[in-house]
Amino acid sequence: MRATTIHAPFDMRVEDVPEPLVQLPTDAVVRVLRACICGSDLWAYRGESARQPGQRIGHEFLGIVEETGSEVTGVRTGDLVVAPFVWSDGVCDYCREGLTTSCVHGGFWGAVGYDGGQGEAVRVPFADGTLVPLPQDAASDDHLLSALLTLSDVMGTGHHAALGAGVRKGATVAVVGDGAVGLCAVLAAKRLGAERIIALGRHEVRTDIARRFGATDVVAARGEEAVAAVRELTRGQGAHAVVEAVGTEQSMRTAVDIARDGGAIGFVGVPHGSGTGLDLGVMFDRNIALRGGVAPVRTYIPELLPDILDGTIDPSPVFDLTVGLEGVPDGYKAMDERTALKVLVTNG
């Protein structure tokens, strides 16, 4: 089969690799219909996170179950399923508590020795704990497939950020970051009843999507200017709930500075390239809470799925470029150069 591999910084290839097989009775093999490129994939692409030459990549996909192991009971051959970006057994203490990303038997797609989502098929460990069945008729609806694909990561991660920030009905929310996760956090905040949502971003195409998703205000500034603008919009107080969806020192400092005293920051931006910029003394004095981390999206899929199916939320506009599998290297280039927000990968 064909699959995306990474060999060195900026060296992505689509190559022939062995077909995945059921190796354990808890496995399934999924034929990928849709996958995508994540902003976090770019750290490997740029050489900022280590990969072995030839390692697979991609952690967001949905597709059709092609084969199951003898102990798999939750999905059957022919089922349309979505996979969260971490596989999990569904039965360990962490999974039972909803923290599937800490599963004692879990792992990430594209880890050494495992398939990545940006390929024609994937071996799925612990299929019953990992895969979520989708309505079969969605397989023929391109628009719905795109929306459902966001459940594998970005929509669930945006929801996790909103929960971490304590978004509630009537709250004022500020979202730092105009990438796909930040935009999905805007959508999640709107879904949770936020009254005012301030999106911080400088790219008009992206902030237009933010407004479509429910942002009431846009701040196109960074650093001290952004802090001053948010303070002006909030009578000097700041936002009750702040989402940090970038992961840089500057973005975290901005998040702290625009948070209202007694508020909370939900952070889901993967930290990279610097310290966190956190001053615990400031957070202590102002009673600012910090919650977030790797989103246990498997836990959130059953909650978010019905709202996508009935059209209450539609995260699909985060995909602004579509490529076939052979075009994945071009997709990485487009995202790296910021000519694409998030790239959708189609397999037939």
Side-chain angles (χ1 to χ4, degrees):
M1 72 166 192
R2 303 287 283 172
T4 306
T5 56
I6 181 168
H7 291 261
F10 307 103
D11 184 2
M12 311 297 298
R13 306 177 193 175
V14 180
E15 301 180 307
D16 291 327
V17 300
E19 285 273 357
L21 302 171
V22 167
Q23 298 178 15
L24 298 170
T26 51
D27 287 350
V29 172
V30 172
R31 184 66 53 177
V32 176
L33 290 180
R34 297 289 184 276
C36 53
I37 301 173
C38 181
S40 65
D41 291 332
L42 295 180
W43 305 122
Y45 179 70
R46 295 166 179 161
E48 296 179 33
S49 59
R51 293 293 189 276
Q52 293 184 6
Q55 191 171 335
R56 308 285 181 82
I57 196 166
H59 55 259
E60 301 161 279
F61 65 94
L62 58 75
I64 303 293
V65 176
E66 196 167 72
E67 185 181 359
T68 61
S70 61
E71 295 181 11
V72 175
T73 60
V75 296
R76 299 180 299 176
T77 299
D79 282 353
L80 178 67
V81 293
V82 63
F85 65 84
V86 172
W87 72 76
S88 52
D89 64 19
V91 297
C92 76
D93 288 346
Y94 289 114
C95 286
R96 291 182 184 276
E97 294 166 6
L99 194 61
T100 52
T101 48
S102 291
C103 176
V104 295
H105 298 118
F108 289 82
W109 310 113
V112 175
Y114 291 91
D115 298 320
Q118 294 161 18
E120 289 185 317
V122 176
R123 180 179 77 89
V124 178
F126 300 103
D128 279 343
T130 301
L131 298 173
V132 179
L134 302 171
Q136 204 65 30
D137 57 2
S140 59
D141 187 331
D142 284 341
H143 183 88
L144 183 56
L145 281 179
S146 297
L148 292 169
L149 178 60
T150 66
L151 293 172
S152 66
D153 187 347
V154 286
M155 188 62 226
T157 297
H159 179 68
H160 185 59
L163 293 180
V167 175
R168 62 188 184 278
K169 188 174 181 179
T172 294
V173 180
V175 177
V176 182
D178 59 5
V181 169
L183 295 175
C184 285
V186 171
L187 190 58
K190 179 69 174 179
R191 177 181 174 274
L192 292 170
E195 181 175 320
R196 190 171 198 181
I197 304 172
I198 304 167
L200 281 71
R202 300 190 299 172
H203 302 85
E204 188 173 350
V205 170
R206 299 182 180 198
T207 55
D208 284 349
I209 297 174
R211 290 187 186 278
R212 180 175 172 180
F213 281 1
T216 54
D217 303 274
V218 169
V219 170
R222 284 186 178 180
E224 294 181 1
E225 288 186 30
V227 173
V230 173
R231 291 279 173 182
E232 184 176 353
L233 288 169
T234 57
R235 296 180 293 118
Q237 294 183 350
H240 300 102
V242 178
V243 168
E244 193 286 310
V246 182
T248 64
E249 185 168 341
Q250 182 188 62
S251 62
M252 184 60 81
R253 284 180 175 169
T254 297
V256 172
D257 289 345
I258 64 176
R260 187 180 188 272
D261 286 16
I265 299 167
F267 73 106
V268 292
V270 179
H272 55 270
S274 65
T276 62
L278 285 176
D279 185 332
L280 293 181
V282 170
M283 298 183 71
F284 181 87
D285 290 344
R286 296 177 52 215
N287 281 281
I288 296 173
L290 180 68
R291 294 185 292 267
V294 185
V297 300
R298 176 61 182 82
T299 298
Y300 301 140
I301 292 174
E303 176 184 351
L304 298 172
L305 175 58
D307 283 2
I308 288 181
L309 292 176
D310 69 14
T312 300
I313 58 173
D314 178 12
S316 65
V318 299
F319 297 113
D320 61 346
L321 177 64
T322 299
V323 299
L325 182 58
E326 301 297 329
V328 167
D330 291 334
Y332 272 86
K333 187 173 185 291
M335 285 183 62
D336 180 54
E337 295 175 350
R338 299 183 73 85
T339 58
L341 167 60
K342 190 169 180 66
V343 174
L344 177 70
V345 182
T346 61
N347 279 336

